[in-house]
């Protein structure tokens, strides 16, 4: 039986599933493992089922037990793993695409709406109990008929587009390449980011985190948005330069921001917590029982497939 380290606690049925297939080292207390602990715990393991809370940089990868042949990440994003360093060491890295698309698209819409309709201020007022309805009380921005720019039209970007269409939004997007017509569904393709930003009354970040997309929304690119744009990020915190964003939120260039992901999670830029026009959630994109179970089961299946066949459909390196 292959020996597998599971770095974080999973939903019980998924752990049982793993226990049927492998000799499993569980993290019963669900403690965050430091880099040194990760290295130590990998001793004699054939594979690791990791989560986005562990950083497998080149140093960690170089020190993992030489027995490790696969890192199966319990997420669709894999920015926490240096996939090239893993490849050099002949370690396969896999992810969990598809199964979290719908849940993540739902959260993306929630944060877009939360930002546009001033949910943070609304919740605060409701809790104070002394609010008073008036014709101009907490007026926000309406999604209907507005243009939504989507950066990254992969599975999640397209699922957001489908939901946004039902709100009457007009979809624009920028992607590494243009989509086929049947996937595009009349969305307007923009060859450059600048062109997309210039029409984005609303904007949703859904591209992968890598060295090309780090801080792609920064002091310079923010200038291209229409004044008063609403932005949401349900992908990874890396894509936003937080200081530039805070400045734009304070000046009103950006009307409001909805966030589910952060640079250096679980830390959150302190001004995002105090500014009234930033609606924040603690990385809940895939957090439904149905989705987290499907993700964990797929992460287990990826390891099983890899050891049975020597490869895996969800390998990313
Ligand atoms: C992912 O899978 O990348 C999600 O962000 C996890 O919630």
């Amino acid at each position: 039986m292959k020996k597998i380290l599971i770095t974080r606690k999973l939903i019980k049925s998924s752990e049982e599933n793993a226990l049927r297939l492998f000799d499993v080292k569980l993290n019963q207390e669900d403690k965050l493992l430091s880099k040194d602990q990760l290295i130590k715990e990998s001793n004699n393991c054939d594979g690791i089922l990791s989560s986005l809370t562990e950083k497998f940089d080149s140093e960690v990868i170089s020190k993992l037990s030489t027995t490790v042949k696969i890192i199966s990440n319990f997420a669709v994003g894999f920015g926490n793993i240096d996939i090239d360093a893993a490849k050099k060491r002949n370690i396969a890295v896999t992810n969990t695409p598809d199964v979290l698309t719908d849940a993540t698209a739902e959260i993306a819409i929630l944060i877009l709406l939360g930002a546009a309709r001033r949910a943070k201020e609304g919740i605060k007022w409701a809790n104070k109990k002394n609010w008073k309805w008036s014709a101009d009380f907490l007026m926000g921005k309406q999604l209907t008929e507005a243009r939504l720019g989507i950066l990254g039209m992969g599975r999640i970007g397209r699922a957001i587009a489908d939901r946004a269409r039902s709100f009457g939004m007009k979809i624009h997007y920028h992607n590494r390449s243009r989509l086929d017509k049947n996937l595009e569904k009349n969305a307007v393709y923009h060859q450059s980011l600048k062109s997309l930003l210039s029409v984005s009354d609303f904007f949703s970040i859904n591209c992968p985190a890598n060295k090309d997309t780090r801080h792609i929304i920064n002091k310079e690119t923010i200038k291209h948005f229409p004044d008063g744009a609403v932005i949401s990020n349900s992908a990874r915190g890396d894509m936003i330069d937080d200081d530039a964003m805070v400045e734009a939120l304070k000046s009103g260039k950006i009307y409001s921001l909805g966030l589910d992901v952060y640079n250096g999670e679980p830390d959150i830029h302190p001004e995002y917590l105090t500014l009234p026009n930033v609606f924040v959630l603690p990385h809940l994109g895939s957090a439904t029982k149905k989705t987290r179970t499907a993700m964990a089961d797929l992460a287990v299946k990826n390891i099983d497939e890899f050891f049975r066949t020597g490869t895996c459909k969800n390998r990313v390196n």
Side-chain angles (χ1 to χ4, degrees):
M1 239 184 188
K2 297 291 181 191
K3 188 165 180 170
I4 305 298
L5 166 68
I6 302 186
T7 59
R8 296 294 306 275
K9 202 158 175 47
L10 304 177
I11 286 168
K12 198 160 177 273
S13 63
S14 305
E15 287 189 346
E16 287 166 358
N17 197 5
L19 284 162
R20 274 193 292 275
L21 293 167
F22 311 115
D23 172 10
V24 177
K25 223 191 231 188
L26 292 174
N27 180 352
Q28 296 286 11
E29 288 165 40
D30 202 26
K31 281 203 180 123
L32 285 182
L33 299 180
S34 65
K35 289 185 181 184
D36 285 344
Q37 285 166 325
L38 268 181
I39 293 163
K40 188 164 161 254
E41 293 295 327
S42 75
N43 196 26
N44 286 328
C45 287
D46 299 290
I48 300 177
L49 194 156
S50 59
S51 81
L52 53 84
T53 52
E54 293 96 41
K55 196 162 170 58
F56 289 86
D57 56 20
S58 57
E59 190 204 340
V60 171
I61 289 190
S62 70
K63 293 181 179 163
L64 289 177
S65 166
T66 52
T67 51
V68 173
K69 296 291 172 241
I70 178 168
I71 301 173
S72 170
N73 211 33
F74 172 50
V76 67
F78 44 86
N80 56 313
I81 304 172
D82 185 330
I83 58 170
D84 297 327
K87 190 164 187 179
K88 265 191 213 140
R89 271 212 51 190
N90 208 17
I91 297 176
V93 177
T94 59
N95 71 343
T96 60
D98 294 317
V99 292
L100 46 62
T101 300
D102 290 332
T104 308
E106 287 177 6
I107 283 286
I109 295 292
L110 172 60
I111 57 176
L112 200 64
L113 276 170
R117 301 301 299 269
R118 303 176 64 176
K120 182 179 193 170
E121 293 164 273
I123 291 167
K124 204 166 158 194
W125 274 105
N127 282 326
K128 276 200 215 161
K129 298 191 181 84
N130 64 344
W131 57 277
K132 185 165 114 254
W133 187 92
S134 65
D136 61 356
F137 180 51
L138 288 185
M139 290 187 301
K141 292 217 177 199
Q142 193 155 334
L143 276 58
T144 324
E145 301 281 305
R147 299 167 297 183
L148 171 64
I150 300 180
L151 174 61
M153 221 23 177
R155 299 175 194 84
I156 296 173
R158 297 198 302 275
I160 293 168
D162 285 342
R163 284 153 180 80
R165 283 185 189 97
S166 73
F167 282 88
M169 300 189 92
K170 300 177 189 119
I171 312 300
H172 294 249
Y173 73 101
H174 171 65
N175 203 42
R176 266 171 308 192
S177 52
R178 187 170 177 171
L179 301 181
D180 288 342
K181 286 233 166 323
N182 61 327
L183 293 179
E184 201 170 61
K185 299 184 188 165
N186 291 327
V188 180
Y189 177 61
H190 293 254
Q191 222 162 3
S192 72
L193 175 66
K194 189 171 152 190
S195 164
L196 176 69
L197 297 183
S198 71
V199 299
S200 294
D201 308 315
F202 288 79
F203 184 69
S204 178
I205 301 175
N206 297 101
C207 57
N210 55 41
K211 58 179 184 347
D212 300 325
T213 58
R214 185 173 155 71
H215 288 187
I216 195 164
I217 301 304
N218 56 44
K219 202 177 165 76
E220 276 313 301
T221 53
I222 284 173
K223 289 185 189 149
H224 300 294
F225 280 106
D227 289 344
V230 176
I231 299 180
S232 76
N233 186 5
S234 50
R236 285 292 181 267
D238 313 52
M239 269 71 92
I240 298 182
D241 174 342
D242 292 328
D243 289 334
M245 181 57 75
V246 163
E247 200 183 308
L249 285 159
K250 284 181 171 168
S251 74
K253 171 69 188 171
I254 300 302
Y255 178 77
S256 60
L257 174 70
L259 292 174
D260 188 42
V261 289
Y262 307 89
N263 277 303
E265 287 180 20
D267 291 340
I268 299 184
H269 191 293
E271 299 216 56
Y272 287 157
L273 299 177
T274 51
L275 283 169
N277 50 349
V278 186
F279 179 71
V280 295
L281 291 178
H283 204 146
L284 298 182
S286 60
T288 68
K289 188 167 179 192
K290 177 180 162 135
T291 292
R292 286 281 163 84
T293 305
M295 286 166 70
D297 288 348
L298 182 54
V300 170
K301 186 165 166 270
N302 286 341
I303 301 176
D304 185 45
E305 183 183 334
F306 176 77
F307 283 121
R308 274 189 303 99
T309 69
T311 184
C312 177
K313 175 168 139 284
N314 295 321
R315 184 169 181 168
V316 295
N317 68 342

